[in-house]
Amino acid sequence: HIHLVLSIPPKYSVSMVIGYLKGKSAIHIHRKAEGVKKGFIGRHFWSRGYCASTIGLDEEMIRAYVRDQEHLDKQEELDFTQNP
C-alpha cells in the first residue's frame, strides 16, 4: 500500500504514468529482493488497480496525509495486535 503525491504533465495520462511506475518498480524490487535478473513476464507484484484524485484538493493537506501515513499505519497495527 503506497501513497504518492505526483504532478503529471497534461500530455501524459494518469494510467500511463501509474503503469510505468508500477512496472519499473516491480522489476527493480524483483531484482533487489529476489535476485532475478530477467524473465519478468508472467510475474506479478502490484495489484491491478489504483486510486487517483484530480479534483484540486488542498495540496498541503494531502502531503501531510501522505507524510503521516506510516505513523498512522503502525498505530493501527499496534491497536489491532493489542485488541484483536
Side-chain angles (χ1 to χ4, degrees):
H1 188 100
I2 294 177
H3 293 91
L4 299 172
V5 177
L6 300 173
S7 176
I8 301 171
K11 69 180 184 176
Y12 300 112
S13 71
V14 172
S15 63
M16 187 195 78
V17 171
I18 298 300
Y20 179 83
L21 289 173
K22 288 170 90 171
K24 293 297 182 181
S25 62
I27 289 171
H28 180 76
I29 291 166
H30 281 300
R31 284 185 177 152
K32 291 289 185 180
E34 298 179 10
V36 177
K37 302 253 188 261
K38 59 182 178 178
F40 299 106
I41 295 174
R43 290 178 165 251
H44 301 282
F45 186 78
W46 299 112
S47 63
R48 296 180 101 181
Y50 63 91
C51 175
S53 175
T54 60
I55 58 173
L57 295 173
D58 180 14
E59 184 177 342
E60 190 50 45
M61 181 180 74
I62 294 169
R63 287 182 182 279
Y65 171 80
V66 171
R67 263 193 311 270
D68 295 338
Q69 200 59 54
E70 183 177 4
H71 172 73
L72 294 172
D73 287 345
K74 285 181 181 179
Q75 186 60 47
E76 285 180 9
E77 186 176 315
L78 183 62
D79 290 347
F80 179 75
T81 57
Q82 291 177 348
N83 302 311

